[in-house]
Amino acid sequence: MLRTHAGSGTAVPTMISPTIRIPLLLGLIVLVAAGGILFVQEQKKLSLEANLKLIKLKNLRIGVGSYGNKKGTGLFGSLVNEGKETVSIATLLVSFVDDTGQIVKTHEFSPVNRFSWLDPKPLVPGETKEFGFLLDDIVPESWSGNFEAKLIKLKFKD
């Protein structure tokens, strides 16, 4: 708030009203906290993008195989860790495509998963890990047999 001194025409600042001071301070704190959260999220996103480039998907293919004691049509391939950190969880997003090229369904798989009953081993630097997932219970009727796949999440061993 500004007040004008009588006769001088000069505006001089006065103290902020107590009724505005606390909400203004709280608003400033929220703004700074939100900025900090956005900064941290952006740093995590950049780090994930850099790390995703170091884990390579190779030889992805649809075929017949087994997973555990089940047999059927599956997605098979391998992951190569070209980074310097051990991966404890890697999540792959697979998009199933119809005859027109449209994505008809997506599904997440974790070829590296420390919680897996069948294969809880991490992916250490320099290692290649073969994987396979059965698709018979996942894919829709309209699936053409084509797919797109990309890594979307990584967790590193602490």
Side-chain angles (χ1 to χ4, degrees), residues 3-13:
R3 288 194 182 162
T4 305
H5 281 272
S8 72
T10 306
V12 292

Side-chain angles (χ1 to χ4, degrees), residues 56-60 76-80 128-131:
K56 306 290 186 190
L57 279 171
K58 303 237 176 169
N59 198 22
L60 287 176
F76 301 92
S78 58
L79 282 176
V80 181
T128 298
K129 184 172 187 174
E130 301 291 324
F131 65 86

Side-chain angles (χ1 to χ4, degrees), residues 11-78:
V12 292
T14 60
M15 293 187 65
I16 297 173
S17 166
T19 57
I20 297 174
R21 190 176 318 150
I22 292 179
L24 186 61
L25 184 59
L26 288 175
L28 183 60
I29 290 170
V30 168
L31 186 62
V32 168
I37 290 169
L38 289 174
F39 176 78
V40 168
Q41 286 178 337
E42 186 63 24
Q43 293 305 309
K44 284 183 178 182
K45 180 182 171 191
L46 292 173
S47 176
L48 175 62
E49 289 172 0
N51 285 317
L52 284 173
K53 292 177 184 177
L54 298 173
I55 309 299
K56 306 290 186 190
L57 279 171
K58 303 237 176 169
N59 198 22
L60 287 176
R61 64 204 177 281
I62 300 294
V64 177
S66 62
Y67 183 75
N69 60 359
K70 289 184 168 183
K71 291 186 179 186
T73 302
L75 172 67
F76 301 92
S78 58

